[in-house]
Amino acid sequence: MYMQTPRGSCLRACVHVSAGAGKCVRAGVLLRRHRDRTSERSQRPGPARGSGCSPDRGDPLQDLRGQVLGDPLRRHHLRGLQGLLPAEPAEQPELRLQPPAELPHRPGEPQPLPALPPPEVPAPRHVTGRLLEPPTTSLVDIERLTQNVLKSHQETCQLHTDDLQLRRWETFSRDEVGAYQKKSTEEMWERCACRITEAIQHVVEFAKRMGGFMELCQNDQIILLKAGARAGAMEVVLVRMCRAFNSDNRTVFFEGKFAGPELFKSLGCPELISSIFDFAHSLCSLHFSESEVALFTALVLVNANRPWLQERAKVARLQGDLEVAFRLLLRKTHREGILAKLPPKGRLRALCSQHVEELQAFRRRHPGVLHTAFPPLYKELFASEAEPPGTH
């Protein structure tokens, strides 16, 4: 506590002085000077003594958060994470979904995506990778979100890492590869569509379990998962694919074994297959841990730049919290260097667009097959994107 000098302090000082009145006056002057200096010091802004904080440091928890975020985050939305997520185009094709009643649901399967709201959704307001308002979530809440995302990821992975590691050298024989190559284009497309649909169903379950996602409005949940079928859940599927990719022999887990690109020859789209394998190989080169895959896929999914969002600020806050969680994880493991090696901006979106273009070409060559043989969820997500103008 600061020293207080009541009005009688001069008199009490004079009692201890055995000299004359002059010494009492001098003592009173000194005490008045001391009281003036004490008063000026008490009026200066700063924390009370005993708080453990210097006047220019403030709250130590806020200081720790400032070391991670700092002013550059508010200006540049985590400068080290620029390019983490692909930028969205200014215009997006109209989103059309079939009513959910048309999607049959079998017990034990994840629920299909609900229908997109009617077209009165407001026009999109483009966000250029910047938070609409600075993040205010505490580090305790960030850690809670991190653990929730990791748990959701573990519970919704189709195969665990240990299983994949044990089977990574179980590849298709030459005869088995030849049998796949002899399959018709229609059958091979249908097989791949079924595998993609299964993976998307797991992504939907991941989103539903992820903290904050179900608190978004239903329209925004659908937009983030669908996003014109050129992003959203399909992007997450491509990122998750790196877990099932063996970069040593460039094979991916498919229908029980690891397969190289030659197994997919009968699809008739070698450029798409090559691009997907190249992407998986580049992502594997980062040697992602399961925690890093979990947070990165969450960030790919929660993107405030998606068009047609109704509560963009709410999505941006969740995205900002996930970015802080991702960077804190990398900081803790001394892996911040991988931020500069993440996929370049737009690469995931380009892969999704390439998939839709190949689906359009397949549909032109084999009319009617998509709607008669492909899974309902796959048709819901991609059929409207693959339909040429004037088909309705």
Side-chain angles (χ1 to χ4, degrees):
M1 300 294 292
Y2 293 116
M3 182 182 295
Q4 296 182 353
T5 55
R7 297 179 63 182
S9 59
C10 181
L11 179 59
R12 285 195 294 272
C14 289
V15 171
H16 297 286
V17 178
S18 59
K23 291 183 179 180
C24 179
V25 172
R26 285 194 296 273
V29 171
L30 292 173
L31 284 171
R32 281 196 299 274
R33 290 177 180 174
H34 174 74
R35 184 174 66 243
D36 293 339
R37 287 195 300 270
T38 302
S39 176
E40 291 176 1
R41 194 161 55 243
S42 65
Q43 293 176 3
R44 295 175 185 171
R49 293 182 181 179
S51 65
C53 305
S54 60
D56 58 341
R57 286 199 55 161
D59 183 9
L61 182 61
Q62 183 64 28
D63 281 356
L64 177 59
R65 183 178 177 84
Q67 293 173 16
V68 179
L69 306 179
D71 292 338
L73 168 62
R74 295 186 173 90
R75 293 194 300 269
H76 301 294
H77 200 194
L78 279 174
R79 180 179 303 168
L81 294 177
Q82 282 188 343
L84 180 67
L85 302 177
E88 294 299 320
E91 297 181 359
Q92 188 77 3
E94 180 184 358
L95 304 180
R96 294 174 293 175
L97 286 177
Q98 300 175 5
E102 297 181 15
L103 299 178
H105 174 252
R106 291 177 291 184
E109 287 188 353
Q111 290 287 347
L113 293 175
L116 188 71
E120 62 261 18
V121 182
R125 180 164 58 88
H126 192 64
V127 178
T128 57
R130 181 179 300 177
L131 283 175
L132 300 184
E133 52 188 67
T136 57
T137 310
S138 68
L139 289 178
V140 174
D141 289 335
I142 293 293
E143 178 62 23
R144 186 179 296 114
L145 175 63
T146 300
Q147 295 304 318
N148 170 264
V149 171
L150 301 187
K151 184 173 182 292
S152 302
H153 171 76
Q154 293 168 355
E155 293 174 347
T156 59
C157 284
Q158 291 172 275
L159 288 171
H160 293 290
T161 307
D162 294 340
D163 296 332
L164 291 168
Q165 287 297 324
L166 289 173
R167 305 169 71 174
R168 63 186 282 115
W169 297 110
E170 296 180 8
T171 59
F172 287 98
S173 66
R174 182 176 301 179
D175 292 339
E176 290 172 327
V177 171
Y180 271 95
Q181 292 177 342
K182 292 177 182 178
K183 294 183 184 299
S184 66
T185 302
E186 298 95 317
E187 181 183 354
M188 200 61 188
W189 263 93
E190 182 183 352
R191 281 175 173 268
C192 291
C194 289
R195 303 294 82 78
I196 291 174
T197 301
E198 291 170 359
I200 289 177
Q201 287 175 330
H202 283 79
V203 171
V204 173
E205 286 301 313
F206 167 69
K208 287 163 60 178
R209 298 167 191 238
M210 189 174 67
F213 187 86
M214 295 304 290
E215 297 174 10
L216 304 174
C217 68
Q218 188 182 62
N219 172 83
D220 292 354
Q221 294 174 27
I222 299 170
I223 291 298
L224 293 176
L225 285 166
K226 180 172 166 51
R230 299 179 184 269
M234 186 63 183
E235 288 186 353
V236 177
V237 169
L238 290 170
V239 172
R240 281 187 163 194
M241 178 182 166
C242 75
R243 299 177 63 255
F245 189 84
N246 185 348
S247 57
D248 293 332
N249 57 8
R250 287 181 64 87
T251 57
V252 66
F253 192 80
F254 179 79
E255 297 190 344
K257 292 184 179 181
F258 280 80
E262 66 279 357
L263 184 134
F264 305 93
K265 180 180 179 181
S266 62
L267 284 173
C269 49
E271 292 183 0
L272 172 62
I273 298 302
S274 178
S275 298
I276 292 176
F277 271 68
D278 289 345
F279 173 78
H281 187 269
S282 65
L283 211 56
C284 281
S285 67
L286 301 179
H287 304 290
F288 269 155
S289 67
E290 284 295 292
S291 299
E292 291 166 352
V293 172
L295 286 171
F296 183 55
T297 52
L299 272 170
V300 169
L301 180 63
V302 181
N303 185 353
N305 285 345
R306 303 294 192 204
W308 306 105
L309 292 172
Q310 288 181 340
E311 297 177 346
R312 194 174 302 275
K314 198 170 182 180
V315 177
R317 282 194 296 271
L318 179 57
Q319 178 184 349
D321 291 344
L322 289 168
E323 289 184 342
V324 173
F326 187 49
R327 184 157 187 170
L328 276 172
L329 174 67
L330 297 179
R331 184 188 185 99
K332 188 183 303 182
T333 56
H334 308 288
R335 293 254 299 158
E336 290 179 292
I338 71 171
L339 293 175
K341 302 176 183 178
L342 290 171
K345 185 180 297 184
R347 187 172 183 184
L348 274 169
R349 179 166 53 86
L351 281 175
C352 293
S353 298
Q354 193 174 356
H355 162 246
V356 172
E357 291 169 3
E358 292 294 346
L359 182 60
Q360 290 174 345
F362 168 80
R363 181 170 183 156
R364 287 192 298 268
R365 294 192 302 266
H366 307 278
V369 175
L370 189 150
H371 280 291
T372 58
F374 282 31
L377 181 56
Y378 185 91
K379 291 187 292 186
E380 180 186 349
L381 289 173
F382 305 112
S384 61
E385 295 289 331
E387 284 184 10
T391 55
H392 287 288

